[in-house]
């Protein structure tokens, strides 16, 4: 008789999805990016059961049979908008919703991005270019240095424009995909709204979870998880940003990555060297930075 082989850490982490344990009764799945798992954690205590599934950017063709089995048995789908054929797979929100029983509920929540607290930061991604080292966030000032361009500096008006535009863009995404509302939650959270531009703080995530529960007709009781859910990276938060937005809070001059402080200049120098050695990445970053600089009041 052959020996049993222990599952690898990832398979064990998503054990029910990968059939290591039976599916529970009356369970809900949450479909989306890394924010989806944070929302699932908050919903789990208020619903009969949830099943942890991999974020969409981690799914592969080998996962499709497990996904179909899981989603066909779910009683409700909570999902972010994901386009059909994402990463060449049938894992768009409409595509996976079609797998569920016909009477299964669907609740949509938006991709949660908020630039107000980190107005110089960008995410710029393509299939051909990997994320920069240390942290996956570009700083437009570092991009300018790498490209030999003048250093951008936001005026007070520009910082406020970033916040206003970020809220407006989120409102458009909410309306387009008919999701629950989250822009007011970010605005109310002040200096605690985000840890990075795409990692909301707990107060925002808990507010989103309560609104999802309301849509599902469940009690809107969301327990504090006792830890920051999206805590892998904290970006610097500059005093001039807090001042411009009249927000109470302590500025943070460094990054925190995996619980350890990382000097902002170390990140800048690492990204500078990397961008200068990666022509495709620099081109992608410049395009993103040029689009950014054309939107706000910037002083050279």
């Amino acid at each position: 008789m052959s020996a049993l082989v222990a599952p690898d850490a990832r398979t064990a982490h998503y054990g029910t999805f990968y059939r290591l344990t039976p599916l529970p009764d009356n369970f809900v799945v949450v479909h989306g990016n890394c924010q989806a798992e944070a929302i699932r954690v908050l919903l789990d205590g208020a619903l009969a059961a949830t099943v942890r599934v991999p974020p969409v950017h981690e799914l592969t063709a080998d996962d499709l049979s497990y996904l179909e089995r899981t989603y066909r048995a779910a009683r409700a789908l909570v999902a972010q908008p994901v386009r059909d054929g994402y990463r060449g797979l049938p894992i768009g929100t409409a595509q996976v919703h079609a797998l569920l029983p016909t009477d299964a509920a669907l609740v949509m929540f938006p991709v949660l991005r908020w630039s107000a607290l980190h107005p110089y930061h960008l995410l710029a991604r393509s299939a051909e270019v990997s994320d920069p080292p240390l942290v996956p966030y570009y700083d437009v000032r570092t991009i300018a240095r790498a490209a030999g361009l003048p250093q951008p500096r936001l005026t007070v008006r520009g910082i406020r424009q970033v916040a206003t535009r970020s809220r407006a863009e989120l409102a458009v995404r909410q309306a387009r995909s008919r999701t629950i509302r989250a822009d007011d939650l970010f605005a109310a959270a002040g200096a605690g709204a985000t840890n990075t531009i795409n990692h909301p703080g707990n107060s925002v995530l808990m507010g989103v979870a309560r609104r999802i529960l309301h849509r599902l007709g469940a009690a809107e009781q969301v327990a504090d998880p006792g830890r920051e859910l999206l805590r892998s990276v904290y970006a610097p938060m500059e005093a001039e940003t807090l001042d411009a937005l009249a927000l109470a809070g302590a500025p943070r001059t460094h990054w925190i990555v995996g619980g350890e402080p990382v000097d902002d200049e170390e990140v800048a120098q690492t990204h500078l060297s990397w961008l200068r050695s990666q022509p495709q990445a620099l081109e992608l970053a410049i395009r993103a930075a040029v689009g950014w600089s054309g939107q706000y009041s910037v002083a050279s």
Side-chain angles (χ1 to χ4, degrees):
M1 184 173 66
S2 60
L4 294 175
V5 178
D8 59 58
R10 182 178 182 279
T11 303
H13 184 68
Y14 299 108
T16 303
F17 178 80
Y18 286 118
R19 307 185 188 181
L20 298 183
T21 57
L23 290 169
D25 295 329
N26 298 318
F27 68 91
V28 173
V29 289
V30 186
H31 186 79
N33 61 23
C34 60
Q35 299 163 0
E37 171 58 11
I39 293 297
R40 186 202 66 80
V41 169
L42 294 170
L43 297 179
D44 195 55
L47 298 173
T50 64
V51 169
R52 181 187 289 123
V53 300
V56 291
H57 58 273
E58 290 185 9
L59 290 170
T60 69
D62 291 340
D63 292 324
L64 294 180
S65 63
Y66 299 105
L67 184 146
E68 182 172 347
R69 166 188 174 266
T70 301
Y71 284 46
R72 286 195 183 282
R75 77 168 178 88
L77 173 66
V78 174
Q80 293 178 299
V82 179
R83 69 177 183 275
D84 283 359
Y86 178 72
R87 297 171 69 90
L89 298 172
I91 57 174
T93 301
Q95 291 171 305
V96 298
H97 182 224
L99 297 174
L100 271 73
T102 55
D103 60 346
L106 169 66
V107 179
M108 299 282 290
F109 70 102
V111 173
L112 300 168
R113 288 196 181 180
W114 188 255
S115 298
L117 300 181
H118 315 290
Y120 292 99
H121 289 178
L122 298 171
L123 282 167
R125 286 170 167 161
S126 76
E128 295 76 28
V129 178
S130 61
D131 284 334
L134 294 183
V135 297
Y137 307 98
Y138 292 96
D139 188 308
V140 294
R141 295 164 294 192
T142 304
I143 296 169
R145 289 168 67 185
L149 298 171
Q151 279 282 288
R153 183 177 64 81
L154 286 167
T155 63
V156 169
R157 181 185 174 201
I159 292 171
R160 292 171 180 169
Q161 285 177 321
V162 173
T164 299
R165 187 179 183 91
S166 186
R167 181 168 186 172
E169 290 174 345
L170 179 52
V172 168
R173 294 198 300 274
Q174 291 166 173
R176 181 173 60 232
S177 299
R178 299 181 180 179
T179 70
I180 63 163
R181 188 180 178 190
D183 63 294
D184 59 324
L185 297 172
F186 280 109
T194 53
N195 301 325
T196 67
I197 56 175
N198 66 336
H199 284 182
N202 276 10
S203 63
V204 173
L205 293 168
M206 292 172 71
V208 169
R210 289 188 188 98
R211 290 175 179 181
I212 291 169
L213 290 169
H214 178 76
R215 289 274 186 97
L216 289 172
E220 299 168 41
Q221 297 178 353
V222 175
D224 189 315
R227 68 189 190 282
E228 190 71 11
L229 290 170
L230 295 175
R231 64 190 184 278
S232 59
V233 181
Y234 293 79
M237 191 163 54
E238 299 179 12
E240 67 175 11
T241 299
L242 297 174
D243 291 343
L245 300 177
L247 295 178
R252 184 169 50 245
T253 59
H254 57 279
W255 295 81
I256 301 175
V257 182
E260 298 296 325
V262 180
D263 188 76
D264 190 30
E265 186 59 23
E266 179 184 348
V267 171
Q269 289 296 334
T270 300
H271 283 195
L272 187 62
S273 298
W274 182 79
L275 284 167
R276 286 173 172 167
S277 69
Q278 302 282 332
Q280 281 186 300
L282 181 57
E283 181 181 353
L284 176 69
I286 290 171
R287 287 200 304 269
V290 168
W292 174 93
S293 64
Q295 298 177 47
Y296 308 120
S297 299
V298 177
S300 298

